[in-house]
Amino acid sequence: RKEVEQDPGPFNVPEGATVAFNCTYSNSASQSFFWYRQDCRKEPKLLMSVYSSGNEDGRFTAQLNRASQYISLLIRDSKLSDSATYLCVVRSNTGFQKLVFGTGTRLLVSP
Amino acid sequence: DTEVTQTPKHLVMGMTNKKSLKCEQHMGHRAMYWYKQKAKKPPELMFVYSYEKLSINESVPSRFSPECPNSSLLNLHLHALQPEDSALYLCASSQERQAEAFFGQGTRLTVV
């Protein structure tokens, strides 16, 4: 089983739609959780960290369920510019150094 | 300023060449990383440096040799690579015990 697993993609949604991505992780001792976005042929960029209490940044909401080892990302009012690959990333407890990436979920927002 | 700078952006090298990839950050981060990313795959960890010491080597072949000359610089020396080593090589940095990692734009390497 992979350490971090994500929904298979791609997700094709129209502009204005709400879309949710899910991610599960296997290491119960994982400490930190993030969502990154990656555009085609570009580097991953931090979208948001995920906190136990849940957090929101504009149209983006992230949730963490430690008991179920589950992370989610909700995007409201999708824009064309949201089209990208969304990577769920977990930091292991090995010296707080190792970031493990999920396989990513591709989002395509169409007019 | 959350900037990690990588050079060169593109590199084509033959299988007998020796080349180096460079990475620089001035955020005072004490952990620096090399990742390799193939098309349509997530980044895969290669090496982690913490306080200028190699702390993680993910069983990377010896034709890849990392070096951390100081707290701001990270190099990846390449020698006798194979065509299957062609990929995007990403450098990242983070605070030792803080979570966010910031990535450079990467070096797109082609081995011919």
Side-chain angles (χ1 to χ4, degrees):
Chain A
R1 182 185 171 188
K2 290 185 179 175
E3 193 168 342
V4 181
E5 296 197 72
Q6 293 186 240
D7 282 351
F11 282 42
N12 291 284
V13 302
E15 270 187 295
T18 295
V19 61
F21 302 140
N22 303 319
C23 171
T24 56
Y25 60 95
S26 60
N27 184 349
S28 61
S30 297
Q31 297 291 327
S32 307
F33 310 90
F34 315 92
W35 285 101
Y36 281 74
R37 75 169 272 168
Q38 186 170 27
D39 294 286
C40 188
R41 300 179 70 82
K42 299 284 190 180
E43 77 276 21
K45 291 187 177 177
L46 179 68
L47 180 65
M48 58 198 305
S49 301
V50 187
Y51 303 120
S52 297
S53 54
N55 47 302
E56 186 174 311
D57 183 2
R59 299 181 292 110
F60 300 85
T61 300
Q63 298 279 349
L64 168 64
N65 183 323
R66 285 189 184 271
S68 302
Q69 295 180 204
Y70 172 94
I71 306 157
S72 66
L73 176 68
L74 184 76
I75 305 175
R76 291 181 298 278
D77 189 23
S78 299
K79 310 291 184 193
L80 296 176
S81 57
D82 294 333
S83 297
T85 296
Y86 289 83
L87 296 157
C88 175
V89 182
V90 174
R91 182 180 284 278
S92 76
N93 64 341
T94 310
F96 302 99
Q97 294 174 353
K98 192 172 175 179
L99 287 168
V100 181
F101 284 76
T103 51
T105 301
R106 182 124 173 83
L107 172 66
L108 299 170
V109 181
S110 54
Chain B
D1 181 13
T2 55
E3 188 170 296
V4 178
T5 304
Q6 287 187 246
T7 55
K9 287 188 171 39
H10 301 274
L11 178 62
V12 179
M13 62 184 290
M15 290 188 283
T16 58
N17 290 161
K18 284 185 180 182
K19 296 286 185 184
S20 296
L21 309 185
K22 297 186 183 302
C23 174
E24 189 169 6
Q25 58 90 10
H26 294 288
M27 295 178 279
H29 290 173
R30 303 317 297 264
M32 295 185 76
Y33 313 76
W34 281 114
Y35 280 85
K36 173 183 177 179
Q37 187 175 25
K38 301 282 273 185
K40 299 188 189 303
K41 297 287 188 184
E44 294 179 7
L45 182 65
M46 299 175 73
F47 303 104
V48 180
Y49 272 83
S50 177
Y51 289 88
E52 300 162 49
K53 289 189 178 0
L54 183 64
S55 59
I56 296 178
N57 176 342
E58 292 286 276
S59 303
V60 179
S62 60
R63 58 185 184 269
F64 295 91
S65 174
E67 178 197 19
C68 189
N70 61 53
S71 59
S72 300
L73 294 174
L74 187 65
N75 298 323
L76 186 63
H77 302 299
L78 315 172
H79 174 53
L81 295 193
Q82 303 297 311
E84 58 264 30
D85 296 321
S86 299
L88 179 67
Y89 287 84
L90 293 160
C91 174
S93 71
S94 69
Q95 287 288 1
E96 174 65 27
R97 292 194 180 271
Q98 290 184 15
E100 295 86 0
F102 298 94
F103 285 81
Q105 292 183 315
T107 295
R108 193 160 297 279
L109 174 68
T110 303
V111 182
V112 297

